[in-house]
Amino acid sequence: MTDEARLEAFEARIARGEKIEPGDWMPEQYRKQLIRMISQHAHSEIVGMLPEGAWITRAPTLRRKLVLLAKVQDEAGHGQYLYHAAETLGATREQMLDDLLSSRAKYSSVFNYPTLSWADIGVIGWLVDGAAIINQTMLAKSSYGPYSRAMLRICAEETFHKKQGQEMVILLSQGTPKQRAMVQNAINRWWWPTLMMFGPHDSESKNSAELMRWGVKTRSNDELRQVFVNQLIPDLHALGLSVPDPQLRFDEETGNWLIGPIDWDEFWRVVKGNGPCNAERLEARRQAHEDGRWVREALAAYAEKQKTEGPQGPQRPQGPCEFARP
Ligand code: BYC
């Protein structure tokens, strides 16, 4: 089969809605695009643990602490699924982590902003996880099997996160004037960074055409951003909350909430490493990587030992004591 015929058969499979699996033939560019996108997504999950992780020790009640701990732990799990998905395409964990820690890799711009108050935790849950779900529900239908299956599981967990965040925002919005001001202030700070999560306008999105051709993305950055705005604005208004956009208006003709211009200079500054917390986030990841060195070394030593002593290790004595209860 020529490469052209292979490409034709590959695209026909995608058109029929079939999933592409790791051992299947795929164009080199499809593989590259997926590694780029999935590894960036994995990095976003593990860097995304940091802004909220900073509040675990300061959660106001035990229940809130448990919820936040579970959420941050979920994000680590999402990172794991995604690194595994990228590994099925031939990327190695070491290379991906090295790219992140040496600032070569991108991760979502939104995690380079500080969490200044407890209300930020609710707002991240509702807005940031809410935005992520809209994007990931689309990616759950992506043409690459391992990515799409990881997304199904991630979306189920993110839905909990969104509900937890929404519950917190509702509670704070009905609380004391101070709590209300705190939650409004958090929305004011997270609104624009959340909209930027969806990526540049379609006219500036250099990867979209290829990703859409191969069924990785099925909706554009602007389309998804609009879905998010339309969903969120009525809910915020119902709580007496607002977004910091004087140009926001409802367009009767299209039924869309139209937003004012996004500050793309700020977006690119953050993406290029010069946001408010980029240096701090990477430093925390580098430290975590260093702190985990002994675990990696112990695992490597264990694997080496298994190679020399067999998969069971040295023979252990078998006897009734093995099963004795204390
Ligand atoms: N931040 O051609 P475009 C979570 C880059 S974590 C940084 O439109 P594409 C959570 C883009 O990579 C889940 N960079 O790209 C965790 C490209 O650069 P390269 C976060 C961005 O791929 C903890 C260039 O700009 N979600 O939910 O078609 C706690 C041009 O863009 C960003 C994901 O990671 C950005 N915001 O579309 C709470 C979703 N936007 O690579 C929550 C997975 C764009 O060519 N990713 N860039 O050098 C995607 O869906 C897509 O990659 C994007 C961009 C929509 C982000």
Side-chain angles (χ1 to χ4, degrees):
M1 236 183 170
T2 61
D3 269 2
E4 238 167 68
R6 281 204 179 100
L7 180 61
E8 207 175 299
F10 169 85
E11 291 190 339
R13 287 186 65 193
I14 292 178
R16 286 196 297 274
E18 283 177 36
K19 296 286 178 211
I20 306 300
E21 297 297 338
D24 297 349
W25 185 89
M26 59 184 80
E28 209 33 51
Q29 186 57 17
Y30 177 81
R31 184 189 303 277
K32 268 198 198 147
Q33 276 285 19
L34 280 169
I35 292 177
R36 175 191 71 83
M37 196 167 150
I38 301 174
S39 61
Q40 283 178 7
H41 196 160
H43 300 327
S44 303
E45 298 283 356
I46 63 164
V47 176
M49 295 164 71
L50 297 168
E52 290 172 278
W55 280 87
I56 291 172
T57 53
R58 291 176 285 173
T61 66
L62 179 60
R63 174 177 171 251
R64 294 288 175 197
K65 192 193 288 279
L66 286 171
V67 166
L68 183 55
L69 258 176
K71 178 183 196 283
V72 172
Q73 187 176 307
D74 283 351
E75 311 298 355
H78 300 172
Q80 283 282 15
Y81 311 151
L82 289 162
Y83 283 124
H84 279 303
E87 281 168 341
T88 65
L89 292 154
T92 67
R93 183 77 62 111
E94 290 73 15
Q95 186 60 55
M96 288 187 278
L97 287 178
D98 194 50
D99 286 347
L100 172 67
L101 301 180
S102 59
S103 309
R104 281 194 300 275
K106 291 191 173 74
Y107 58 87
S108 186
S109 49
V110 74
F111 302 116
N112 292 305
Y113 292 84
T115 39
L116 301 181
S117 79
W118 172 250
D120 289 34
I121 304 306
V123 170
I124 290 178
W126 191 7
L127 271 61
V128 175
D129 286 85
I133 292 171
I134 289 174
N135 172 270
Q136 292 172 168
T137 305
M138 167 192 75
L139 295 174
K141 299 187 193 101
S142 100
S143 57
Y144 188 56
Y147 196 23
S148 114
R149 289 189 288 275
M151 284 297 109
L152 284 177
R153 183 151 176 192
I154 290 176
C155 282
E157 294 178 2
E158 300 282 34
T159 303
F160 270 106
H161 302 165
K162 180 184 160 189
K163 285 181 182 159
Q164 285 156 3
Q166 187 170 9
E167 189 235 357
M168 280 177 68
V169 173
I170 291 172
L171 216 69
L172 290 170
S173 73
Q174 294 169 354
T176 62
K178 208 168 163 187
Q179 286 171 323
R180 222 180 148 72
M182 182 167 76
V183 78
Q184 182 59 64
N185 177 280
I187 293 170
N188 294 348
R189 285 179 290 103
W190 287 95
W191 174 246
W192 293 109
T194 304
L195 294 182
M196 291 173 192
M197 273 180 89
F198 291 95
H201 281 315
D202 296 350
S203 53
E204 305 292 318
S205 169
K206 61 184 160 88
N207 298 293
S208 279
E210 204 163 58
L211 293 173
M212 287 171 115
R213 170 181 171 196
W214 285 329
V216 178
K217 273 163 102 165
T218 49
R219 301 185 78 179
S220 75
N221 297 357
D222 285 329
E223 272 182 86
L224 294 179
R225 193 170 8 245
Q226 190 63 59
V227 171
F228 172 74
V229 173
N230 288 352
Q231 263 184 21
L232 196 75
I233 294 295
D235 286 352
L236 285 180
H237 285 176
L239 295 171
L241 297 167
S242 60
V243 295
D245 180 352
Q247 294 185 37
L248 179 79
R249 67 179 178 88
F250 185 71
D251 182 46
E252 295 283 352
E253 211 171 292
T254 57
N256 287 327
W257 282 93
L258 302 181
I259 54 169
I262 293 175
D263 183 349
W264 294 111
D265 288 343
E266 173 179 327
F267 171 76
W268 289 114
R269 226 176 15 254
V270 177
V271 171
K272 288 182 179 153
N274 301 312
C277 299
N278 294 61
E280 195 184 310
R281 299 288 182 244
L282 275 186
E283 194 40 48
R285 286 309 322 161
R286 287 188 192 115
Q287 188 60 49
H289 195 69
E290 247 341 278
D291 292 347
R293 180 176 296 282
W294 71 270
V295 179
R296 293 191 297 279
E297 285 173 358
L299 283 172
Y302 180 70
E304 194 53 40
K305 199 163 185 276
Q306 278 196 323
K307 252 194 254 161
T308 52
E309 294 177 2
Q312 307 301 325
Q315 220 40 89
R316 289 199 300 151
Q318 295 285 317
C321 298
E322 290 270 46
F323 306 102
R325 284 167 183 272

